Amino acid sequence: MKAHDGMYIDGAWRPAAGQDVIEVVNPADEQIIGQVPAGNALDIDAAVRAARAALAGWAATPPAERAARIAALRDVLVARKDEIAGTVTAELGSPLKFSQAVHVGAPIAVAGSYAELTASYPFEEKVGNSTVYQEPIGVVAAITPWNYPLHQIVAKVAPALAAGCTLVLKPAEDTPLTAQLFAEAVHEAGVPAGVFNLVTGLGPVAGQALAEHPGVDLVSFTGSTAVGRRIAATAGAAVKKVALELGGKSANVILPSADLAKAVNVGVANVMSNSGQTCSAWTRMLVHSAQYDEAVELAAAAAAKYGDRIGPVVNAKQHERVRGYIEKGVAEGARLAAGGPEAPRDKGYFVSPTVFADVTPGMTIAQEEIFGPVLSILRYEDEDEALDIANGTVYGLAGAVWAGDEAEAVAFARRMETGQVDINGGRFNPLAPFGGYKQSGVGRELGTHGLAEYLQTKSLQF
């Protein structure tokens, strides 16, 4: 696509307030593929003012009409899915098939789910002698990450539109071209001017100005826990609501009764997916000591198959960060069963699919989010120890449990301190709430629980 040199504000592309630009780099070959304006506080202010001006009209729009606009948006995404997938591949480095199936396929499903939900959601109900209304919270600041650029946008924009909110999107600076395509889709879908606005820019400049703006009622942020803390502190000073989807260090618990080969192979695939750049990835595999050596062999063999099948990590900084974690793992005594810190290619930000054995719970690679294709395998002696290890990080975003008996897996999963658990390889559900415990965030995305984040409650007594 040809990048826009302005911001999408109040239904039109407008020149940026400043002259600074962001260069977009293809991480597979390190070539510059475009540039977008680096917005500042003036751009943010114009976008928030447009959203504020459009709020009353959009909030008063009947849910059925809002649903129709979301359905139209879904249809545009379907019609342009190949172009969008190609853009994601170019700026994120994701293999094209993965971009088509996941980076575009999943958000299309999410948009469709909100088109249906909006038309049937009980925005008004009788409770005794009261009528309870669910009303839009107001103007939303949506700050999204680069790892799933379209999915994270749709997961915020679709429920915000469904609720009757207006919003300003500040996408990640590494993947702004996908966001510009989305803005084109919003325009083509007939969403009224000012309801959706896009400002590209750097987090410390445009992102901070958006989070701090007094015209914003809710900040919905997906990204690192460190940045989430700062946003929460900023919003707290203004008693402003936040929805934060942050880091993860999810445990994949394989109980002795499980199909070991299947659990290990699916677990490795989960970690290698999107080059390991998934906040909910099962980056800690927990295996009973009696099956540990076999599991390590299976995992190493599985990881070796991904050498030519995964793309690069997103940028040079992330490349060095992930390789640094691998080096730290070795330094702290973990054993490399596959991969290592050496770059597998001369060009591009590629990282070898890496599996660590002999990992102990206190090691850095077992506690901190790496965000790369790196798996740590830990051993346990009994279920209580497995539970202590699974719950033994500051995170609680996702996880998995495998067992021969589903009831056994469910019983263990109910004791895990995490927001979402897949049982024996359960499939993605766009209607299920997604979000974390502990330092993995507050609030939920997707389905009715995701819609509720953008609503506030009013009751009238008669």
Side-chain angles (χ1 to χ4, degrees), residues 75-136:
D75 292 344
V76 175
L77 296 177
V78 170
R80 302 184 67 176
K81 63 181 186 298
D82 291 340
E83 179 187 9
I84 298 171
T87 300
V88 172
T89 292
E91 61 182 354
L92 181 62
S94 170
L96 184 58
K97 287 185 178 180
F98 189 81
S99 293
Q100 292 169 331
V102 178
H103 283 293
V104 181
I108 285 173
V110 170
S113 74
Y114 276 112
E116 295 180 7
L117 179 59
T118 308
S120 61
Y121 190 82
F123 291 98
E124 177 183 339
E125 63 176 334
K126 294 288 187 180
V127 180
N129 65 307
S130 301
T131 301
V132 179
Y133 297 91
Q134 300 295 328
E135 300 181 341

Side-chain angles (χ1 to χ4, degrees), residues 266-326:
V266 174
V268 170
N270 176 277
V271 173
M272 301 306 159
S273 175
N274 208 40
S275 302
Q277 300 169 130
T278 304
C279 52
S280 58
W282 311 332
T283 52
R284 295 180 298 144
M285 182 180 288
L286 278 56
V287 184
H288 191 276
S289 59
Q291 300 171 314
Y292 188 82
D293 291 341
E294 182 182 359
V296 171
E297 289 183 9
L298 288 168
K305 298 176 182 178
Y306 285 88
D308 296 324
R309 292 166 56 186
I310 63 173
V313 294
V314 70
N315 57 34
K317 180 180 179 180
Q318 186 69 10
H319 189 234
E320 290 308 306
R321 181 178 186 271
V322 174
R323 293 174 64 194
Y325 270 111
I326 296 173

Side-chain angles (χ1 to χ4, degrees), residues 74-415:
R74 185 257 334 265
D75 292 344
V76 175
L77 296 177
V78 170
R80 302 184 67 176
K81 63 181 186 298
D82 291 340
E83 179 187 9
I84 298 171
T87 300
V88 172
T89 292
E91 61 182 354
L92 181 62
S94 170
L96 184 58
K97 287 185 178 180
F98 189 81
S99 293
Q100 292 169 331
V102 178
H103 283 293
V104 181
I108 285 173
V110 170
S113 74
Y114 276 112
E116 295 180 7
L117 179 59
T118 308
S120 61
Y121 190 82
F123 291 98
E124 177 183 339
E125 63 176 334
K126 294 288 187 180
V127 180
N129 65 307
S130 301
T131 301
V132 179
Y133 297 91
Q134 300 295 328
E135 300 181 341
I137 198 164
V139 174
V140 174
I143 304 175
T144 57
W146 46 261
N147 61 325
Y148 288 89
L150 182 62
H151 173 69
Q152 298 289 358
I153 289 171
V154 172
K156 298 182 188 305
V157 174
L161 296 179
C165 296
T166 58
L167 67 157
V168 178
L169 169 66
K170 204 299 287 182
E173 47 263 38
D174 290 290
T175 53
L177 303 181
T178 300
Q180 288 192 343
L181 280 178
F182 179 79
E184 291 179 3
V186 168
H187 189 87
E188 190 175 340
V191 175
V195 171
F196 170 86
N197 306 272
L198 169 69
V199 175
T200 53
L202 301 175
V205 180
Q208 183 171 336
L210 182 57
E212 293 177 346
H213 198 289
V216 167
D217 301 294
L218 162 68
V219 181
S220 180
F221 169 78
T222 298
S224 72
T225 297
V227 175
R229 289 193 195 100
R230 294 199 293 271
I231 288 175
T234 297
V239 197
K240 186 182 299 184
K241 184 179 178 181
V242 296
L244 305 172
E245 196 266 278
L246 308 175
K249 195 68 182 176
S250 301
N252 179 17
V253 182
I254 305 175
L255 298 176
S257 64
D259 181 335
L260 182 66
K262 180 178 180 181
V264 170
N265 283 315
V266 174
V268 170
N270 176 277
V271 173
M272 301 306 159
S273 175
N274 208 40
S275 302
Q277 300 169 130
T278 304
C279 52
S280 58
W282 311 332
T283 52
R284 295 180 298 144
M285 182 180 288
L286 278 56
V287 184
H288 191 276
S289 59
Q291 300 171 314
Y292 188 82
D293 291 341
E294 182 182 359
V296 171
E297 289 183 9
L298 288 168
K305 298 176 182 178
Y306 285 88
D308 296 324
R309 292 166 56 186
I310 63 173
V313 294
V314 70
N315 57 34
K317 180 180 179 180
Q318 186 69 10
H319 189 234
E320 290 308 306
R321 181 178 186 271
V322 174
R323 293 174 64 194
Y325 270 111
I326 296 173
E327 291 171 350
K328 184 176 283 287
V330 173
E332 292 185 357
R335 172 169 58 91
L336 278 172
E342 296 79 16
R345 305 189 194 184
D346 294 334
K347 202 168 192 63
Y349 307 127
F350 292 89
V351 177
S352 296
T354 298
V355 175
F356 275 109
D358 301 333
V359 179
T360 58
M363 289 182 178
T364 301
I365 59 173
Q367 289 292 320
E368 297 184 12
E369 185 175 44
I370 298 173
F371 231 57
V374 182
L375 170 65
S376 296
I377 308 181
L378 299 90
R379 69 177 78 229
Y380 66 87
E381 298 299 330
D382 55 41
E383 285 196 15
D384 287 339
E385 183 182 16
L387 186 69
D388 287 343
I389 295 171
N391 291 339
T393 74
V394 298
Y395 299 111
L397 186 57
V401 182
W402 300 80
D405 178 63
E406 185 177 288
E408 179 187 7
V410 170
F412 190 96
R414 290 296 303 273
R415 300 165 67 196

Side-chain angles (χ1 to χ4, degrees), residues 11-100:
W13 293 96
R14 302 188 176 190
Q19 300 300 314
D20 293 339
V21 298
I22 298 170
E23 292 183 334
V24 184
V25 176
N26 184 331
D29 60 15
E30 303 177 44
Q31 298 299 304
I32 296 172
I33 58 174
Q35 66 179 30
V36 299
N40 58 30
L42 293 176
D43 298 298
I44 291 295
D45 183 64
V48 173
R49 288 178 182 275
R52 178 62 60 184
L55 178 59
W58 184 245
T61 300
E65 175 56 24
R66 300 202 297 263
R69 292 306 98 214
I70 298 171
L73 174 59
R74 185 257 334 265
D75 292 344
V76 175
L77 296 177
V78 170
R80 302 184 67 176
K81 63 181 186 298
D82 291 340
E83 179 187 9
I84 298 171
T87 300
V88 172
T89 292
E91 61 182 354
L92 181 62
S94 170
L96 184 58
K97 287 185 178 180
F98 189 81
S99 293
Q100 292 169 331

